């Protein structure tokens, strides 16, 4: 009984730690937002109201969040990173920081603090293009990093030809990194589709239901990525 209670306390402590993160609460709200968009399919009703109200609520979680990517933009890159990947990474940081900064203006417009509605809508559209650009950059970066990891793992496999590669700590670490990169690639690719849907660049193919479906799945991936390591190990 005591062991079960201790285990329950430990699980609750992890849950509290998880929910204390503003980023985690934002991604949970994002899942609700896009799940509602999927259900409403752009039609008026309760689901659409939930979509709109949750979208507005999420903007509060993102106040001053642009500083994170601004800091990453001016920080030195990791040693050994190829120049094209450095440029892509800095472009992603610049675009995402701009998106989050402009999103604050959108929030001011929706709360009627900023009175120029037409300009707020234009700024909102520009911010979404910035998010689309950052998602495309992320997709290319993850593809490139997966290719680099794959080449490194093949080289390591040759060294470990006579042993069990899965028992080697270096190989296990690279395999985990590769799996994390693949998950990030799937999420970034889905975010590209979501951005296209929100911008209505292909309204016949990427309708509100498709946008909502892709956004919901990418939100669940984000929620999983924010889990503590011990919880991730139990998830499968």
């Amino acid at each position: 009984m005591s062991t079960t209670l201790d285990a329950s306390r430990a699980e609750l402590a992890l849950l509290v730690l998880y929910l204390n993160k503003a980023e985690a609460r934002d991604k949970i709200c994002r899942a609700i937002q896009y799940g509602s968009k999927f259900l409403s399919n752009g039609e008026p009703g309760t689901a659409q109201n939930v979509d709109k109200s949750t979208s507005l609520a999420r903007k509060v979680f993102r106040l001053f969040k642009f500083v994170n990517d601004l800091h990453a933009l001016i920080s030195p890159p990791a040693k050994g990173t190829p120049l094209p990947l450095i440029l892509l990474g800095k472009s992603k940081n610049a675009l995402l920081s701009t998106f989050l900064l402009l999103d604050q203006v959108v929030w001011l417009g929706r709360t009627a603090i900023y009175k120029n509605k037409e300009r707020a809508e234009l700024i909102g559209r520009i911010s979404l293009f910035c998010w689309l650009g950052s998602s495309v950059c992320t997709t290319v970066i993850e593809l490139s990093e997966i290719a680099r990891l794959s080449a490194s793992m093949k080289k390591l496999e040759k060294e470990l030809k006579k042993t069990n590669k899965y028992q080697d700590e270096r190989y296990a670490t690279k395999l985990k990194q590769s799996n994390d990169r693949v998950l990030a690639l799937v999420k970034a690719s889905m975010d590209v589709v979501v951005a296209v849907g929100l911008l209505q660049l292909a309204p016949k193919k990427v309708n509100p239901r498709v946008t909502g479906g892709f956004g919901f799945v990418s939100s669940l991936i984000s929620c999983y990525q924010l889990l503590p390591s011990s919880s991730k190990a139990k998830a499968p």
Side-chain angles (χ1 to χ4, degrees), residues 65-225:
K65 192 180 171 184
F66 68 92
V67 175
N68 295 346
D69 280 279
L70 189 60
H71 179 263
L73 178 64
I74 61 176
S75 298
K79 288 183 179 180
T81 306
L83 182 60
L85 283 182
I86 292 173
L87 294 175
L88 274 170
K90 296 303 181 184
S91 299
K92 182 195 83 169
N93 294 140
L95 287 165
L96 195 54
S97 182
T98 305
F99 159 68
L100 291 166
L101 178 61
L102 294 178
D103 200 48
Q104 310 299 289
V105 181
V106 176
W107 174 69
L108 291 172
R110 290 188 184 177
T111 51
I113 296 172
Y114 183 66
K115 302 296 183 183
N116 194 326
K117 189 177 178 181
E118 288 184 6
R119 183 164 292 179
E121 287 179 358
L122 176 62
I123 290 171
R125 192 164 176 82
I126 293 169
S127 73
L128 285 174
F129 271 110
C130 289
W131 183 49
L132 173 61
S134 72
S135 298
V136 170
C137 287
T138 304
T139 302
V140 177
I141 289 168
E142 296 303 337
L143 277 170
S144 302
E145 291 291 358
I146 289 168
R148 289 178 71 202
L149 274 168
S150 179
S152 177
M153 287 170 73
K154 284 179 181 178
K155 187 179 178 181
L156 193 56
E157 281 174 5
K158 290 179 181 179
E159 293 179 22
L160 304 169
K161 203 170 185 180
K162 295 180 180 180
T163 59
N164 188 344
K165 61 185 179 183
Y166 297 105
Q167 291 180 348
D168 186 83
E169 190 177 340
R170 293 171 300 166
Y171 188 86
T173 301
K174 288 184 182 295
L175 184 61
K176 184 184 179 302
Q177 289 174 346
S178 179
N179 291 338
D180 290 343
R181 291 283 185 185
V182 169
L183 192 62
L185 173 62
V186 172
K187 181 191 173 299
S189 302
M190 286 187 163
D191 283 342
V192 170
V193 177
V194 174
V196 168
L198 293 175
L199 286 164
Q200 296 184 332
L201 299 178
K204 291 183 179 179
K205 292 183 178 179
V206 189
N207 56 37
R209 178 148 287 168
V210 173
T211 304
F214 274 77
F216 179 72
V217 175
S218 74
S219 300
L220 293 182
I221 293 173
S222 295
C223 289
Y224 172 76
Q225 289 173 324

Side-chain angles (χ1 to χ4, degrees), residues 1-15 234:
M1 181 69 180
S2 177
T3 306
T4 306
L5 188 59
D6 288 342
S8 299
R9 283 174 180 165
E11 292 294 337
L12 279 173
L14 284 173
L15 181 62
K234 294 176 185 177

